[in-house]
Amino acid sequence: MSRRRALTFLGIAGAATAATACATATTTGTSSATSTTTSAAASDTGAVSAAPQETAGPYPGDGSNGPNVLIESGVVRSDITTSFGSYSGVAEGVPMTLRLSLRDLANGAAGAGMAVYVWHCDRSGAYSLYSPGVTDQNYLRGVQVADETGAVTFTSIFPACYSGRWPHIHFEVYDSLETAVAGSNARLTSQIALPQDACEAVFAQDSGYAQSIRNMSDVSLASDNVFGDGWDAELATVTGTPASGLTVALTIGVAARSENSSPEEGFGKPGGPPSGRPGGPPPGR
């Protein structure tokens, strides 16, 4: 059984209960999955699903494959649209506020004091520090520490859809800020899936996302090699409009470190170096 469908944990008591699939999708041969606007990560009863362990891909910037922004001064910030330190530059695109609510499933409490490292591609599908043309940028990467309610907020831009992958956001959860900025020992590495209707609205609004329209027509949540085995705990909710800015929100259940094993065989396996084509990281990352 897929671990992302295996268990849910009570947000207050931390007890495990049988999970039910709350997100559904309909697909055609080439179109992307129709998304729900209701997050499957939390139910009305307060149950929170454990976020599955996923690949960090070849562009993490956490020291596991080349550069490590986590040890750089300035990485702890809420606005990740700009580069920092010795780099300069601003990522252009539709404004996005990312709000994550962490639940520590090891004790059933809010994930207060946990640190979250977030990174994603820009509107052309390029990753700072890695992709041609943006190797001298480190924007769209940053760390925040959860408040007493387990909440973190980032200001960013909506990511593109590049060839072979459903639109997504990467993140790592650390037990503390000290652990995060040391650049090692992430408790959880996972990804956030973005709803289809929000993606389509963004890509139609801003011409800078033009290639995303074509790329998204060739992939679905069901065919994506990270989300394809289930996305119940990874599908965010989105509110707002591309013109005024969007808010992406997700409740993340963080299981004990020992329960966060490697990604399942066949999904999100680590890949090689960038392809060298701007806006076209290799599929599956």
Side-chain angles (χ1 to χ4, degrees):
M1 177 182 292
S2 169
R3 80 181 263 105
R4 72 184 73 211
R5 291 194 178 95
L7 297 174
T8 59
F9 295 78
L10 291 178
I12 296 176
T17 58
T20 57
C22 298
T24 59
T26 57
T27 63
T28 63
T30 59
S31 66
S32 51
T34 300
S35 63
T36 177
T37 57
T38 301
S39 171
S43 73
D44 293 338
T45 63
V48 179
S49 299
Q53 184 86 352
E54 303 285 16
T55 178
Y59 313 109
D62 62 359
S64 62
N65 183 26
N68 189 352
V69 297
L70 295 175
I71 61 175
E72 299 293 333
S73 175
V75 71
V76 181
R77 62 207 187 117
S78 60
D79 188 341
I80 63 174
T81 57
T82 61
S83 290
F84 64 95
S86 60
Y87 297 117
S88 63
V90 179
E92 298 182 351
V94 170
M96 176 187 74
T97 298
L98 177 64
R99 294 178 178 168
L100 305 178
S101 179
L102 305 180
R103 299 294 301 183
D104 187 345
L105 301 183
N107 58 25
M114 287 181 170
V116 182
Y117 168 43
V118 163
W119 73 97
H120 61 81
C121 69
D122 63 20
R123 70 176 178 179
S124 68
Y127 283 87
S128 67
L129 298 175
Y130 294 90
S131 299
V134 292
T135 55
D136 60 347
Q137 302 290 341
N138 56 13
Y139 52 51
L140 307 182
R141 301 178 184 274
V143 174
Q144 278 284 283
V145 179
D147 64 17
E148 64 276 8
T149 68
V152 297
T153 302
F154 293 89
T155 299
S156 190
I157 58 101
F158 203 89
C161 178
Y162 55 78
S163 179
R165 280 302 317 275
W166 186 260
H168 62 282
I169 297 169
H170 293 266
F171 70 93
E172 291 176 341
V173 179
Y174 294 80
D175 285 323
S176 67
L177 177 60
E178 291 73 20
T179 304
V181 298
S184 61
N185 297 317
R187 177 164 160 181
L188 170 68
T189 300
S190 195
Q191 299 184 27
I192 299 167
L194 298 171
Q196 178 183 356
D197 54 354
C199 294
E200 291 176 342
V202 168
F203 302 158
Q205 170 78 17
D206 187 329
S207 61
Y209 293 92
Q211 64 181 344
S212 291
I213 298 174
R214 179 184 66 254
N215 291 335
M216 197 167 172
S217 69
D218 293 329
V219 68
S220 69
L221 276 167
S223 68
D224 185 80
N225 70 352
V226 170
F227 303 125
D229 62 342
W231 54 86
D232 294 358
E234 298 171 287
L235 185 63
T237 63
V238 178
T239 56
T241 67
S244 62
L246 299 171
T247 296
V248 175
L250 183 65
T251 297
I252 298 171
V254 185
R257 185 189 302 274
S258 61
E259 297 180 22
N260 291 325
S261 58
S262 298
E264 295 179 5
E265 186 68 22
F267 288 88
K269 291 174 287 189
S275 66
R277 181 170 57 86
R285 315 299 177 230

